[in-house]
Amino acid sequence: MLITKLHIPSHGNNIIHRPELSEKLNQGLNRKLILVSAPAGFGKTTVVSDWINQNKIPTSWYSIDKSDNDPVEFLNYIITGIQSIHPEFGKRAITLLNSPNFPSNQSILSLLINDLLQIKLNFLLVLDDFHLITDKDILELVTYLLEHIPGNIHIVILTRSDPALSISKLRSQHQLVEIRSSDLSFSANDISILFNKKLKLKLSIEDSYSLETKTEGWIAGLQLAALSMQGKEDFSKFIQDLKGDNRYIMDYLMEEVLKNQTDDIKEFLLQTSILEQMSAPLCNAILNRNDSQLILELLEKNNMFVFPLDSERNWFRYHHLFADLLKQRLHLREKATVVELHNKAIEWFNTNSMPALAIEHAIETGNFEKSIQLLGEIVEPMWKNGQHAAIMKYGDLLPHELIKKNAEFCLYYAWILIISGQIQKADPFLVSAENITMQIINDKNSSKEDILCNKKLLGKIAVAFAYLFSIIRQSEKAYDYSKIAMENLSEDDPMWFSWGWFSIGMTKTIFEDFKGSIDAYEKALEYGKKSENIYLISTIAINLIYLESRMGLYTSSYKKCTDLLKFMKENGYSQIAKSESSFAGLYSCLAGIESMRSEFEDALENIKTAYGLCKKESNNSFKVVVLTVYSITLYGLGNLVDSLKMINEAEEIIKQNKVAQAAVSIFISWKGFLLIEQNNFEKANHFFKKNGLEFNKEISYIDEHEYCAYALLLILEMKFEEAEILLSKLLIMAQTANRIERIIEHKILFAILYKARGNKEKALTNLIEAMEYAATDNILFGFIYNLDRISDLLNEVYKIEATTKTKIPKKLIDKLKFAIEKKENLKKPTIQLDLSVRELDILKHLSEDISNQQIADKLFISMNTVKTHIKNVFLKLEVNNRTKAIMRAKELGLI
Amino acid sequence: MKGKTIIIVQGYLDKKWKNSFDGMEFSYEEENTILIGNIKDKAHLHGILNQIRDLNLKLISVNPAE
């Protein structure tokens, strides 16, 4: 980071204060944005910095350059800048940003905006040279910032062209002050003041008007004219000549200015023009001299478009336009001499630990070998600090054949390609990286140190390979590479060691070795915590949570969820958990487990958060799971209408997209159950058939879930034989996989089956077993959802429990009774309604949207009777019209 | 815009600037400078237009050559 970029530019003594502009800028102190938009050389920076200095407004200034087109770099500068006003600002965001994996920009910004709210002070955030920003993500970031910025903070954008932000919206909301070239350009009067009062060059009124016409008030042109005039006798003649010349005005003036300089100074100017920023030692090195400090200060004093970048006057830069004019002249020389200058700059920046700037010069001269060599040395810290966009930019810019010769750069470039979804592009780079390291490791002449170093590198490359292959589900290869990774990585580097274990976890998941996968993830988490990388920790934890809940290890999964949230909170990252879409998985897990425990109120809270988060997510499978859990939760709370809405939304997603089978299975299971619950057996049957369910079909672990609901339907349809075959198969599967929640569910279904067959004893045995299993994790949902079918059996169990000993803990019985009571309470209004058969008939006809007379005709009763019935129905449903009555009846499941 | 393009700017811009306008040929007509060249893609065109903006030259027109 170049701190000089955060320095508020100071200006010479010849500044002309411009009260009319200050006035306009002052209005900006009540607006969100001040936009200063004008071409180069219109004095944008001077006007704004002068206004800030005059009024002593607290300011965070950021002079952007073209290498800042990386959201991470950009945010780093913004945060560091604001820290000069409020040191506590953005500390957490910085830690998150400067890590190899970081949450979305949106999440970071919400964290920052939260921090901004703590700053009570009025201050400005100035973004100078904003036109250099081309990165879409940064533009989005700034747009978001403008939308959410607190009232005491004002953004000032200085730019050569209007930025792609929602400027017109701000204008219509009166949140914008604009200063444009017509405001900034000098009038004849301003010109007269500048030349006569400030520069002490005697200029007549006519000459001032001539200059205004010729330059159109363009300040850079005027200043260059003033420089050209120094040492001249006849200003009027000079101005007339200038006016009569059709050449590009800056060409003309530059010639004159350079003519006025000694050869020594002229050379200094031309040769240093290749530098974006210069210090005396740097200039000394490039020009083989030792008096650069004196020259730089002299140039500054003489208004030669040189500005100090810090208050110590260590670093300077030319005005961009002036530098362009100088550079254009320099480039007319032999190419070799220019390249030589750049090479000296490369060397100086490199030996002075400013490799990023060395690389810029290497790229500018097309010296790609050097660029790659330099990049190879710094790419790891760049990656670790989250500068992904910069690595990507270099990777896309440099010839791929050259990149393939540098293993380090290959690895990190490939890594970034993989996470941005460009798998195929990443693969050849990893192959090259692997070949290079293998060669060194196998070469007998390699030093011990080299071999050790390359083994570590190979380990990292193998992690990337394992990651890549697990994404494209080539499990064998993923497995091989995760093994290579673990052979070469060690605990000394906890972050990479953690990634190594993570890759093993991923491959084991593909092999459906969930137990092994969980163990690997546990290891990954252990080392991840040592690396203190928040994002790595949360990524691993979320994977672990998902797997454990898939395995039915609910207590452990639930604890990991709450632990992770606690950890995030303690470290001040609660905001991230609430805004980062990857956390949707965690909240949906919490809700799922709470639903199973019949803790529906808590579940609702969490599933709402998950639902909000996954909207941004593009993963449709995940959306289906969240919607299904949402539907389950709502149903548990007695809200059938919304529950159906959610499941229908899930169905739409499945119809229109490719969704993972595991997610579809969860959906089928629940949708089928809902149809059964609405006594719509025919529809349920049709639904299961449509989805290819058959009682004697082979069942895999992925689709076993949906068969639970199917088994219930078979029982209710009295297909006892089929139900028994299916349930026996499911129970064995659940027992083999040790999935407690399924065993409970199947045992309950067996109880229902035996009851229907009149074998009460066996029914009770199964139910008691189910309750024994349920005790460990308080998994109550099977009992609650089948309550109508098993309540008589439950009462028997209570009796048995009271007299003889069972293994069912009393705590479970209490919890179950409590949950049942709650459910009964939800149902009560329906029970109290006590609609008569006739009233129900009336209600059904009402929903057919026919007139009262037609209803009367259909039911062979009089109009008046119909009216009386309707009145009673309205009373019982607590509604006052037909539409509401129908809605309410639907809600209650009456029609 | 892609293909042969004619860009006209006001005033006389010396041919010495050619290396700043990648691939464009310079010619002059009355008070104006005419830049003609093959535009590779949008980014190329914008680069040239930005250069015109950065030098504060007056852009008169941008047209495809027939």
Side-chain angles (χ1 to χ4, degrees):
Chain A
M1 173 171 287
L2 296 169
I3 295 301
T4 50
K5 288 204 263 188
L6 300 173
H7 178 76
I8 303 182
S10 52
H11 25 65
N13 316 317
N14 297 323
I15 183 109
I16 294 182
H17 303 305
R18 307 179 69 185
E20 74 288 359
L21 289 179
S22 288
E23 195 113 320
K24 211 166 172 186
L25 286 165
N26 281 335
Q27 291 171 18
L29 293 175
N30 299 315
R31 312 276 168 94
K32 281 186 173 177
L33 176 66
I34 298 173
L35 177 68
V36 185
S37 182
F42 266 97
K44 300 182 287 292
T45 307
T46 314
V47 163
V48 174
S49 63
D50 181 48
W51 169 63
I52 289 169
N53 282 341
Q54 293 286 314
N55 296 284
K56 306 209 164 27
I57 308 166
T59 298
S60 161
W61 189 287
Y62 173 19
S63 303
I64 294 164
D65 68 37
K66 61 179 188 296
S67 62
D68 294 345
N69 273 300
D70 176 337
V72 175
E73 277 288 274
F74 185 83
L75 284 174
N76 266 327
Y77 276 113
I78 298 268
I79 295 169
T80 315
I82 296 178
Q83 281 178 344
S84 68
I85 294 168
H86 192 85
E88 291 307 306
F89 176 77
K91 280 196 167 155
R92 292 188 188 95
I94 278 254
T95 327
L96 274 185
L97 269 178
N98 298 333
S99 66
N101 314 83
F102 44 85
S104 65
N105 295 331
Q106 208 74 299
S107 307
I108 301 258
L109 261 194
S110 61
L111 202 65
L112 287 180
I113 285 167
N114 220 31
D115 277 9
L116 280 179
L117 292 169
Q118 311 305 317
I119 310 178
K120 303 292 175 223
L121 192 71
N122 258 293
F123 77 93
L124 302 173
L125 173 60
V126 182
L127 306 173
D128 196 2
D129 281 332
F130 194 78
H131 57 274
L132 294 172
I133 293 298
T134 49
D135 185 271
K136 230 182 84 226
D137 291 340
I138 297 182
L139 290 171
E140 261 172 35
L141 255 157
V142 178
T143 308
Y144 185 87
L145 191 62
L146 275 169
E147 274 166 20
H148 295 90
I149 202 152
N152 54 324
I153 299 156
H154 316 280
I155 298 182
V156 187
I157 287 179
L158 282 63
T159 179
R160 290 184 189 177
S161 41
D162 287 8
L165 308 168
S166 23
I167 299 291
S168 56
K169 195 169 144 200
L170 288 169
R171 194 179 288 128
S172 67
Q173 294 170 342
H174 305 289
Q175 286 296 346
L176 173 73
V177 166
E178 270 176 289
I179 295 192
R180 312 197 65 90
S181 47
S182 56
D183 302 303
L184 291 163
S185 56
F186 271 26
S187 65
N189 192 33
D190 295 326
I191 294 171
S192 174
I193 293 172
L194 173 70
F195 279 74
N196 290 308
K197 296 231 168 101
K198 295 284 173 186
L199 302 171
K200 314 278 185 226
L201 298 165
K202 289 214 168 67
L203 199 69
S204 68
I205 293 293
E206 295 85 66
D207 288 341
S208 297
Y209 275 107
S210 296
L211 267 181
E212 189 197 8
T213 321
K214 179 67 189 175
T215 61
E216 293 182 329
W218 185 31
I219 296 157
L222 289 165
Q223 282 184 322
L224 212 52
L227 278 176
S228 325
M229 281 153 72
Q230 270 159 10
K232 287 204 166 58
E233 307 264 305
D234 191 349
F235 294 161
S236 289
K237 183 173 180 304
F238 173 78
I239 290 167
Q240 283 316 309
D241 289 349
L242 173 66
K243 228 177 142 185
D245 199 292
N246 187 29
R247 259 185 294 168
Y248 171 45
I249 181 169
M250 293 312 251
D251 268 346
Y252 184 99
L253 292 172
M254 201 64 187
E255 290 293 324
E256 297 296 321
V257 170
L258 289 177
K259 255 192 242 165
N260 286 350
Q261 311 303 322
T262 63
D263 283 350
D264 194 37
I265 295 288
K266 203 154 57 180
E267 274 311 300
F268 187 94
L269 288 171
L270 287 175
Q271 298 192 21
T272 51
S273 71
I274 62 155
L275 302 169
E276 292 285 329
Q277 55 269 305
M278 52 208 171
S279 67
L282 170 60
C283 295
N284 285 342
I286 286 185
L287 305 170
N288 299 322
R289 59 194 304 158
N290 49 30
D291 58 351
S292 296
Q293 186 71 30
L294 282 176
I295 297 183
L296 285 168
E297 284 177 19
L298 182 76
L299 290 173
E300 188 202 349
K301 209 177 105 213
N302 290 345
N303 303 316
M304 288 295 280
F305 292 87
V306 171
F307 308 103
L309 292 175
D310 49 34
S311 36
E312 291 81 34
R313 288 180 157 63
N314 288 329
W315 286 91
F316 293 85
R317 73 166 175 84
Y318 292 115
H319 187 279
H320 294 305
L321 183 65
F322 190 74
D324 281 348
L325 293 163
L326 288 173
K327 245 188 275 184
Q328 185 263 338
R329 277 168 174 71
L330 178 71
H331 280 291
L332 297 174
R333 298 190 173 172
E334 287 274 310
K335 202 177 164 211
T337 47
V338 181
V339 169
E340 183 53 32
L341 289 172
H342 279 290
N343 284 343
K344 283 181 186 164
I346 294 170
E347 208 184 301
W348 191 88
F349 279 125
N350 198 27
T351 44
N352 285 278
S353 309
M354 298 167 91
L357 294 169
I359 293 165
E360 289 298 321
H361 281 282
I363 287 178
E364 197 165 333
T365 51
N367 189 347
F368 297 139
E369 271 108 0
K370 187 76 191 171
S371 312
I372 277 285
Q373 184 214 320
L374 291 168
L375 269 171
E377 286 162 24
I378 59 162
V379 67
E380 181 164 18
M382 275 176 89
W383 176 78
K384 271 195 179 157
N385 290 329
Q387 286 167 268
H388 290 191
I391 296 176
M392 189 80 133
K393 187 191 82 188
Y394 288 129
D396 292 347
L397 185 82
L398 296 166
H400 287 177
E401 286 320 305
L402 277 177
I403 292 177
K404 283 181 188 162
K405 288 179 188 162
N406 189 301
E408 291 267 348
F409 192 77
C410 273
L411 165 63
Y412 295 103
Y413 181 41
W415 186 282
I416 291 160
L417 287 170
I418 295 170
I419 55 173
S420 69
Q422 303 184 57
I423 309 272
Q424 289 190 324
K425 199 173 168 188
D427 185 68
F429 292 112
L430 285 180
V431 172
S432 306
E434 187 187 22
N435 288 340
I436 295 168
T437 46
M438 287 299 277
Q439 246 170 33
I440 297 171
I441 293 168
N442 293 330
D443 188 344
K444 281 177 195 125
N445 300 322
S446 299
S447 69
K448 248 188 183 170
E449 216 169 276
D450 266 356
I451 292 178
L452 198 71
C453 205
N454 275 277
K455 275 194 169 168
K456 274 187 188 164
L457 187 56
L458 181 65
K460 296 172 190 176
I461 295 165
V463 171
F465 262 129
Y467 190 29
L468 184 150
F469 286 120
S470 65
I471 290 173
I472 54 174
R473 302 194 80 78
Q474 290 205 20
S475 34
E476 301 289 337
K477 283 192 177 171
Y479 178 68
D480 290 345
Y481 276 109
S482 61
K483 260 176 40 191
I484 298 176
M486 292 317 291
E487 280 160 19
N488 291 287
L489 294 169
S490 76
E491 310 178 23
D492 310 342
D493 192 346
M495 189 185 70
W496 277 102
F497 204 53
S498 171
W499 273 116
W501 278 112
F502 187 73
S503 70
I504 291 196
M506 280 190 298
T507 45
K508 295 217 164 171
T509 308
I510 307 177
F511 283 121
E512 298 199 353
D513 172 7
F514 299 131
K515 177 81 183 50
S517 184
I518 286 174
D519 291 345
Y521 282 147
E522 292 275 14
K523 282 271 183 204
L525 193 58
E526 187 189 328
Y527 291 102
K529 280 188 177 158
K530 281 186 191 156
S531 80
E532 290 175 0
N533 182 325
I534 298 283
Y535 197 74
L536 180 61
I537 295 168
S538 55
T539 308
I540 300 166
I542 288 168
N543 270 283
L544 199 49
I545 287 162
Y546 174 71
L547 253 189
E548 286 194 339
S549 75
R550 209 173 139 183
M551 292 270 300
L553 301 168
Y554 297 109
T555 310
S556 170
S557 176
Y558 195 81
K559 189 168 180 308
K560 288 217 168 64
C561 288
T562 47
D563 280 355
L564 179 60
L565 286 179
K566 206 172 126 211
F567 172 80
M568 297 296 278
K569 198 176 167 188
E570 279 168 0
N571 288 282
Y573 295 115
S574 290
Q575 201 71 27
I576 294 289
K578 284 234 149 64
S579 58
E580 185 65 17
S581 59
S582 60
F583 275 83
L586 181 144
Y587 287 106
S588 129
C589 250
L590 281 174
I593 296 167
E594 282 156 354
S595 279
M596 283 187 186
R597 294 176 177 167
S598 279
E599 297 160 359
F600 296 113
E601 285 85 3
D602 296 341
L604 185 66
E605 180 99 353
N606 285 318
I607 199 65
K608 270 187 186 163
T609 311
Y611 182 66
L613 289 175
C614 80
K615 272 185 183 162
K616 292 182 246 167
E617 177 83 36
S618 57
N619 183 340
N620 285 311
S621 309
F622 192 62
K623 276 185 195 155
V624 169
V625 174
V626 169
L627 283 165
T628 310
V629 176
Y630 208 156
S631 172
I632 293 172
T633 310
L634 288 165
Y635 184 78
L637 286 164
N639 183 347
L640 181 65
V641 177
D642 288 334
S643 173
L644 290 173
K645 222 159 71 191
M646 292 300 162
I647 207 68
N648 290 340
E649 201 178 313
E651 192 159 22
E652 279 309 305
I653 295 177
I654 294 172
K655 268 185 199 160
Q656 285 163 19
N657 305 280
K658 204 177 168 317
V659 173
Q661 194 50 45
V664 176
S665 179
I666 295 169
F667 159 80
I668 293 175
S669 163
W670 181 247
K671 162 105 188 181
F673 181 79
L674 281 179
L675 288 170
I676 296 168
E677 281 292 275
Q678 292 166 284
N679 284 326
N680 225 329
F681 294 169
E682 207 175 309
K683 251 194 174 169
N685 207 329
H686 180 72
F687 176 73
F688 285 130
K689 285 267 145 62
K690 200 180 75 192
N691 283 291
L693 274 76
E694 280 168 43
F695 82 97
N696 52 1
K697 214 171 139 182
E698 191 156 331
I699 303 168
S700 80
Y701 280 98
I702 291 177
D703 57 15
E704 54 101 15
H705 198 141
E706 60 206 54
Y707 278 91
C708 301
Y710 187 52
L712 177 62
L713 180 67
L714 291 175
I715 301 170
L716 298 176
E717 286 181 329
M718 318 269 247
K719 295 176 185 161
F720 298 138
E721 301 288 322
E722 295 179 12
E724 180 152 17
I725 294 169
L726 179 58
L727 273 176
S728 309
K729 206 158 40 173
L730 288 173
L731 184 60
I732 291 169
M733 281 180 82
Q735 279 165 339
T736 320
N738 198 23
R739 298 205 51 156
I740 305 291
E741 90 286 12
R742 291 279 194 279
I743 299 176
I744 300 166
E745 205 171 348
H746 302 328
K747 293 266 174 198
I748 294 171
L749 289 172
F750 265 121
I752 297 169
L753 174 68
Y754 286 124
K755 186 184 119 183
R757 283 177 144 187
N759 190 340
K760 199 171 136 193
E761 203 175 315
K762 264 192 150 175
L764 283 174
T765 329
N766 273 289
L767 193 61
I768 289 171
E769 279 173 10
M771 288 166 86
E772 285 166 2
Y773 275 110
T776 5
D777 279 346
N778 292 318
I779 298 174
L780 304 176
F781 75 111
F783 305 97
I784 300 299
Y785 290 157
N786 288 302
L787 198 55
D788 294 344
R789 291 177 276 272
I790 58 165
S791 59
D792 50 342
L793 290 175
L794 275 174
N795 285 328
E796 297 269 344
V797 175
Y798 298 154
K799 273 186 221 155
I800 297 169
E801 230 278 320
T803 51
T804 26
K805 279 221 165 141
T806 63
K807 284 184 207 144
I808 311 169
K810 185 156 184 315
K811 218 170 115 197
L812 178 89
I813 304 257
D814 290 344
K815 284 211 164 154
L816 186 58
K817 281 186 176 166
F818 180 70
I820 292 171
E821 198 181 322
K822 241 174 152 179
K823 179 159 186 210
E824 298 292 343
N825 281 338
L826 285 172
K827 266 182 148 183
K828 257 183 192 151
T830 339
I831 296 157
Q832 283 171 341
L833 285 176
D834 202 17
L835 291 168
S836 69
V837 180
R838 245 299 122 75
E839 283 164 353
L840 272 172
D841 279 344
I842 298 268
L843 202 52
K844 278 190 187 120
H845 287 298
L846 278 179
S847 68
E848 287 160 12
D849 199 28
I850 51 177
S851 71
N852 289 352
Q853 186 60 54
Q854 280 169 307
I855 297 174
D857 291 345
K858 280 197 168 188
L859 297 174
F860 305 104
I861 50 177
S862 78
M863 215 2 209
N864 271 336
T865 320
V866 172
K867 280 186 181 163
T868 316
H869 282 312
I870 291 180
K871 224 164 85 188
N872 287 337
V873 169
F874 282 5
L875 254 168
K876 287 181 180 174
L877 294 179
E878 293 173 315
V879 294
N880 51 16
N881 64 44
R882 273 176 92 140
T883 332
K884 281 188 189 157
I886 295 163
M887 262 171 54
R888 184 89 181 103
K890 278 188 181 157
E891 259 176 45
L892 296 168
L894 296 172
I895 50 171
Chain B
M1 192 176 274
K2 212 178 150 182
K4 203 164 194 193
T5 303
I6 304 175
I7 299 173
I8 303 179
V9 294
Q10 203 181 65
Y12 181 95
L13 184 66
D14 199 280
K15 285 188 183 167
K16 283 183 288 194
W17 282 96
K18 246 178 89 171
N19 52 20
S20 301
F21 291 90
D22 182 27
M24 303 301 275
E25 291 298 328
F26 282 48
S27 59
Y28 304 95
E29 195 175 81
E30 290 170 22
E31 303 277 279
N32 300 328
T33 306
I34 298 161
L35 313 174
I36 301 182
N38 258 322
I39 297 293
K40 284 175 268 183
D41 50 25
K42 249 161 87 180
H44 184 199
L45 179 66
H46 282 289
I48 289 169
L49 294 178
N50 282 347
Q51 182 68 270
I52 291 171
R53 175 197 71 191
D54 290 347
L55 294 174
N56 199 22
L57 290 161
K58 225 172 235 145
L59 179 65
I60 292 182
S61 68
V62 182
N63 283 306
E66 53 276 67

